[in-house]
């Protein structure tokens, strides 16, 4: 956990995104800033992955009753308020325009654009006719430092294989 | 290597894609069909990843002189012919329309759409201001079977972290 | 099976669609026309649904070895030829432009456009946080005649409920 | 009615959708939350389908005078207020962007994209030249549990067959 | 029938449209040119409207057995050939790009763009909640000369009113 | 005038459209609701067509000084206020998105999409090289009841024929 | 006519445009190259404007019987052939993609984009409620050399003013 | 100056455009309405073209210090206020959507769409390889009445010819 | 630094852009206007490039702690306030619509459109298979006056060459 | 000229681009491959920049009579043939789709997207109200190796400053 040091910088909520996000996003990000917590710290304490927690903050993932309880405690937000704001089911798909304009997000889009057919061909040979689920799915980010001291980001996506039903 | 069995099925080239692909794609896929080889088998023999080999077949990745030599031998394609067809630099980005219409490829697109902001927030907290490179980059697919016998696909993306230059 | 009468009309392949379809589509539709068979008749004989068979003819569904054997016999197409043309995995998503320009297909699109949020709200209340799969999925069409002799089409879509994985 | 239990969760209105919805949506969803009612419960009491009721809440369906009377009573909303807000004719087609970004709604869109031509071919063979109406139309959702305990969602769409007029 | 004079000019098929039209379009338009017939003349002889006949030539309308018989005679085309080419169901919606680039067609599009809401408001007040069908529908064009000798085109669209089903 | 009965329902202004409409739309629709008048009733009293009046209410048509005077009286709106709000020239083309999402408006769009080339061919044969004007233009809606009691909507569009200038 | 000198360069047909243009375009441009004629020279001899002649070559303008006669003589093309190829009515709107990618054409588009509202405001104040026709319309290009020897292009567009019909 | 009569009508600012325009637009249009001035009158007094003045009012053109001084006097707006609001450089290109929905502006767009290639061919023959500048550019509108009393609008665009630099 | 003269004009913030920019943009541009500073002046004092500083003002570049300190002093903005507003990571890609409507920005886009393939071919021959980074990247603008007194803008882009990783 | 070594690799023409390029592109690229020449070598011999030469090969730049003479000699192509193929004026803007799918070209697009407003603000402060021309324009690419041996690409764009004409 290299980033848990004194001069850490935490992600905050870009105000111009607010109109497209649920009310809970404002509540959660403000409390996060007050408490000066990274997603890694929050994730560790509620027992979920960092990406899942960040997605939850952006309204792209569902909070369980336990998550709400834990977030309320960690962030110091009134439980009833948080409970109400997180009661609904996420209206997913709000992570900005597609194709992404943000360079970091665009790189992920570019990977799909460049390697899409290759992924499909290899997955079909490995598993047959079907898809890798994005619902029965988890993802995580890891950090690696190579011999020369260069940093590498490693994104792992793990999805259940769903074969097409024959009918 | 569970898929290296007798009744394996190999990926072939969808004819309607040909007009958008380089000449080498037709040559390579035809030879692959003749030799009845999976990408896993080819990858193992030329010492590259399966996704990289599939991308090379679709004209989305560059072949080195050694790759051309090895492919010529494995696939039984005339070296000079292959050398000429693979001489240029790939015109990448040809993996079908965006948003993808193919369900398997769409799922990857959907992951970017749903988790884009979350990936960015976590990567920024972990590494600072920059991007994960899609160029200084590798990717692989693995197969996992869980306790209940269900299959899972695991895609790993490993990209160098590039901090924004301050100027 | 009201449509199995003497003056039946069968669906044929619109020539301007050919460049976007796999080679198998031409083979299958030509044989169907030669044999003067409806999708209902073919479906009954190979033991699959009519929509699945039509999708297979348009290259949007995968044929099993048994399907190929049965189609070869019913349609009088050389088995080896059919086997080769149907060997690959479908490159799905080719059913024309979106939004659909064809009035019949547009009506289905319009249903999604008008009732999308309503479907989501009801499904979430009924099942929780997840989606109805379009992969672990089957669909069929039925015909109904009401009291006044008017015909109604009934489309049934049956998809496995996939809850979002908590991670 | 498996979902009518103590710990039921009800669908609420995502605030960021409000600017695109009629005033009645806010009134109805707030009352629904106050009364803690599912669409199934409301539908049962006013004698309409669940999807129709949800569509009505999102301003995508018309309320009759009887509906308004019943909703006023069930939800405890002033009749005159509700009557005024529901007086107009719906401006349909507001269920979010197309292609849908929401994964659940996207799956329905994908079904149209993948099976559009197949539906058309089968419907034409069954009924002749025409369309399945999306106006003289009803739809419902059912829940099924298979042998292994897995849940399946079943969407039924029933539309009048409209033959093209010969002129 | 002011246009049935000696120096009449007849509509022919723009070659660049051919790849998007069915085979029958080429057959029909070539025969029409050989026989030097206007749509008005053909329509009169087969007992259908001019727009319907033109739509049939462009593959946007279905020919009945009687139509095929009559067209075969009038145009001097082999009946079997015409019967085969017109056997399928039209894949409608091929009348060029939308928004239309052709000025004449654009004007019709502009009428929908400018008067769409007005048409809806007046139709709702007149008929209630529903739509004017474009399927149970006919249309015709008439020519009028005003007092000053100026020509006016009059397009009439007649569609069945379909009320939304309450469900 | 079948619709001028006791239980008539009048068209009102969908609030979510307001940001895209001129100020006059709000004034006019509110007064219309207060007076409980249909467009047919207003049209009859100011001597214009119903569609023109509805278009004027949506800011898609220009009011003459006489129109303003008459509307002020019929609707009970202060003349000076109305005069100021209707002083400008309409910024036409605001009748919602294209392709239309509203089913009723979409049907009109579909007619253009399906019959565009047919209209052009027939108009060219009838009038020569030119267009039907959408400016020197009027339109009306009529209601017809057929033998079986079914309702039909009839839209008439009358536009001046403009030949292309030879230069 | 400064450009009528010995080392003149003439416009030819870009081969990649051919699939989108009528057959006549190829015939006309080839003959133009054979005869080494500019549009100015042709225009002068057939008594039409240069832009009109160029538009006619690109299939965007209609040729009269006299034009065909004159073009046949000037260009040395068989009259019957030219007559047949130019018999139809132009399918206008084929001048490349919009927004234009060609820098010269883009500049004209940019003028509309930047000055559109200004043109409308000034035209409305000058003429009232209406449009400048693009049909009852002519256009020409002139060349001017200023004091410093710099060249200026002057495009004049002259369109009939069409007031909106009050209905 | 035919339009400088007693019952002149002046262009005002459509309120729904305000969010996309600079603050100066509101100030200028309000003062214009107060003073009841046409663009022709303002243009005459500050010595610029009418279109340029209208463009300046819509924030699409830059005001010089002298313009600001003159506008302040003519319109009776505080000089300091106007100076501050007009201090920046215009963010051009805000004249509504493209393709234009407004019929008047669309006609200009249509001219580019129909005659784009023709303009290019004639300009190339006349001037060589280059473009007509839209920056070193001026434009004006004139009014003409023909023999029969019909009005014609004449738009003149004058742009410097810029040859492509050879490098 | 030719532009550091008495009658300099400084860039200010177009109000209609504010909803898409971070809060810091308003703070920074207001202070810049108060202090009447050009980007060149600010850049010189904080030791960064002018384009980088302008990008920082538009929220498209990250400020270091030293930058915040320096900007606070130069612009007279409270350090804590600036620190909070500039704490997050930029959400890049907000520089207006693409294709750009602004003529100045469009010219840069046009260069990419026209010379894209040429840049790629030359870079590939010079460096091999890879890209020029836009992250490990700097850019600057210079001003040049040629012999005839004409001004030229020179934009330099310097990006690290990233070879594609072989995997 | 580090790249002029024995094992140089030269850019060739991607076959799938051919339908969108002029005939000359095929001729030029084939000769280039025969002669095994880089753009740098050709540029040096005809006295033009490398990017200009590559643009000329892709049909995006005009060849002078001298260029054609020199290219004919260097590439060993028949002068008359080359002269005819390069006679027309380029139809510029064909460098692939926008946004670019090719990663190398996309990076340039991204620079415009991210720094567009910043470039505009700095250029306006430096030069006033105008644009940097993309016509009176040249560009070049240079290669730099830094202290650590890393390669950098440097793109320089030099365009004439064009002030907006006041009219």
């Amino acid at each position: 956990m290299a980033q848990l040091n004194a001069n850490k910088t935490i992600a905050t909520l870009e105000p111009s995104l607010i109109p497209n996000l649920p009310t809970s996003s404002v509540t959660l990000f403000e409390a996060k800033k007050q408490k000066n917590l990274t997603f890694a710290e929050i994730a560790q304490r509620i027992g979920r992955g960092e990406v899942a927690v960040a997605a939850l903050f952006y309204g792209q993932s569902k909070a369980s009753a336990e998550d709400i309880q834990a977030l309320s405690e960690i962030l110091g937000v009134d439980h009833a308020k948080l409970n109400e704001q997180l009661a609904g089911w996420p209206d997913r798909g709000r992570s900005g325009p597609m194709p992404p304009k943000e360079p970091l997000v665009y790189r992920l889009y570019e990977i799909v654009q460049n390697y899409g057919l290759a992924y499909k061909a290899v997955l079909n040979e490995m598993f047959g006719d079907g898809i890798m689920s994005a619902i029965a799915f988890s993802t995580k980010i890891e950090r690696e430092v190579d011999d020369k001291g260069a940093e590498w980001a490693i994104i792992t996506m793990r999805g259940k294989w769903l074969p097409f039903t024959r009918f």
Side-chain angles (χ1 to χ4, degrees), chain A:
Chain A
M1 291 282 165
Q3 70 276 22
L4 298 186
N5 48 28
N7 53 14
K8 72 183 173 190
T9 313
I10 65 164
T12 54
L13 184 56
E14 166 62 43
S16 57
L17 295 176
I18 293 174
N20 285 318
L21 297 177
T23 321
S24 58
S25 294
V26 178
T27 305
L28 291 167
F29 270 102
E30 275 179 7
K32 179 176 183 289
K33 190 160 73 176
Q34 288 300 322
K35 296 285 180 179
N36 196 33
L37 294 167
T38 62
F39 284 120
E41 291 165 332
I42 298 168
Q44 195 176 31
R45 289 173 65 178
I46 67 170
R48 294 190 66 175
E50 291 173 50
V51 181
V53 171
L56 197 157
F57 272 58
Y58 283 115
Q60 306 294 306
S61 176
K62 176 94 182 132
S64 68
E66 292 72 22
D67 294 338
I68 296 172
Q69 182 64 42
L71 285 169
S72 165
E73 288 167 17
I74 296 164
L75 298 170
V77 179
D78 178 61
H79 182 270
K81 181 184 175 187
L82 205 55
N83 199 42
E84 183 181 327
Q85 291 185 354
L86 290 172
W89 286 281
D91 183 29
R92 290 172 170 93
R94 302 288 185 93
S95 290
M98 296 292 272
K101 292 173 169 282
E102 227 291 328
L104 183 147
V105 184
Y106 183 82
R107 296 306 179 274
L108 301 176
Y109 173 94
E110 190 177 68
I111 290 165
V112 178
Q113 188 171 67
N114 285 2
Y115 296 101
L117 284 178
Y119 281 133
K120 174 169 158 60
V122 171
L123 285 164
N124 281 160
E125 288 195 345
M126 217 180 241
F127 295 92
D129 190 35
I131 61 150
M132 182 185 93
S133 180
I135 309 297
F137 169 83
S138 66
T139 185
K140 67 179 174 188
I141 300 175
E142 286 160 308
R143 183 173 166 273
E144 204 183 278
V145 182
D146 69 13
D147 300 348
K148 301 172 189 163
E151 290 180 313
W152 294 75
I154 296 160
I155 296 180
T156 309
M157 298 169 175
R158 181 178 185 272
K160 196 172 192 172
W161 184 258
L162 299 183
F164 277 94
T165 299
R166 186 178 179 280
F167 66 97

